[in-house]
């Protein structure tokens, strides 16, 4: 059974940085793309970033381009989201999702909460 | 940047049929937007129901189906059950970015 576990969330001041991790088990991680998605409190889903299986293709939403960096380590079955210059509006639950075949969003983690506040 | 539109809320009776739509501010939704549909219940992570317009994952109940109609992506729920009450999000792809719709709160009542 596939399992995705996010970690690294917490409280940070505006302008600060955090690095989120997502570890995948029960799946052939190195063969699939990964995405990060967030959800602000009481709001809808927002796609943030995509990385393909070999890190050759990486895409970002306009809202985080230049501030967030996605990466992966296939030897550790992990994908990361480095978040810099955080703003109040980045407060959200952050989810990772793994693809499978032509589906970019096959399975999701339970999310990790990031709170940006002074 | 494009905007993806969904009905804010819909209500369906148990056993009834409801259609949720997904529109794009850039024009008709096509198979090239690879429409997705997700279900999210309070306090839970999203669950993917439909990908690439009408493809289902193994866990997708047969009563859910995806299609294109009238220039929009469509999620049809037939024979609705109380456990289908949830928020439903669509997603469309635009070249190298993807955008979620604002979500439809579906009430089964």
């Amino acid at each position: 059974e596939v399992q995705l576990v996010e970690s690294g969330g917490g409280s940070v001041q505006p302008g600060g940085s955090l690095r989120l991790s997502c570890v995948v088990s029960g799946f052939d991680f190195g063969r699939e793309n990964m995405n990060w998605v967030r959800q602000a409190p009481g709001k809808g889903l927002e796609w943030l970033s995509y990385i393909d299986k070999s890190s050759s293709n990486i895409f970002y939403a306009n809202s985080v381009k230049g501030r967030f960096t996605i990466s992966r380590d296939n030897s550790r079955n992990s994908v990361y989201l480095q978040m810099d210059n955080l703003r109040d509006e980045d407060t959200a639950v952050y989810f990772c999702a793994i693809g499978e075949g032509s589906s970019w969003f096959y399975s999701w983690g339970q999310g990790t909460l990031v709170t940006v506040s002074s | 940047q494009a905007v993806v539109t969904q009905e804010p809320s819909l209500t369906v009776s148990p056993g009834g049929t409801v259609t949720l739509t997904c529109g794009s501010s850039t024009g008709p939704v096509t198979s090239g937007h690879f429409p997705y549909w997700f279900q999210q219940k309070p306090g839970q992570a999203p669950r993917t129901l439909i990908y690439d317009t009408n493809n289902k994952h193994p866990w997708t109940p047969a009563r859910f189906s995806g299609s294109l109609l009238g220039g929009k992506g469509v999620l049809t729920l037939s024979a609705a059950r109380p456990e289908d009450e949830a928020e439903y999000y669509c997603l469309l792809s635009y070249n190298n970015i993807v955008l979620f719709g604002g979500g439809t709160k579906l009430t089964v009542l």
Side-chain angles (χ1 to χ4, degrees), chain A residues 39 47 62 103-105 108, chain B residues 1 36 40 48 57 96 98:
Chain A
Q39 186 169 37
W47 172 79
N62 290 339
S103 175
W104 274 26
F105 301 90
W108 297 66
Chain B
Q1 177 166 288
Y36 283 69
Q40 188 179 34
T48 308
H57 284 302
N96 295 333
V98 297

Side-chain angles (χ1 to χ4, degrees), chain A residues 35 37 39 43-47 59-63 65 95 100 102-111, chain B residues 1 36 38 40 43-48 51-52 57-59 89 91 93 95-102:
Chain A
N35 284 274
V37 173
Q39 186 169 37
K43 303 297 185 182
L45 301 173
E46 180 186 14
W47 172 79
F59 310 128
Y60 296 99
N62 290 339
S63 59
K65 194 177 298 183
F95 299 98
E100 192 272 340
S102 60
S103 175
W104 274 26
F105 301 90
Y106 178 78
S107 188
W108 297 66
Q110 287 304 304
Chain B
Q1 177 166 288
Y36 283 69
F38 306 88
Q40 188 179 34
Q44 296 184 14
R47 180 174 73 148
T48 308
Y51 66 98
D52 292 357
H57 284 302
W59 52 80
Y89 294 93
L91 175 147
S93 298
N95 294 322
N96 295 333
I97 68 167
V98 297
L99 295 174
F100 284 95

Side-chain angles (χ1 to χ4, degrees), chain B residues 15-31:
Chain B
T17 297
V18 63
T19 58
L20 290 68
T21 69
C22 181
S24 173
S25 63
T26 63
V29 173
T30 70
S31 59

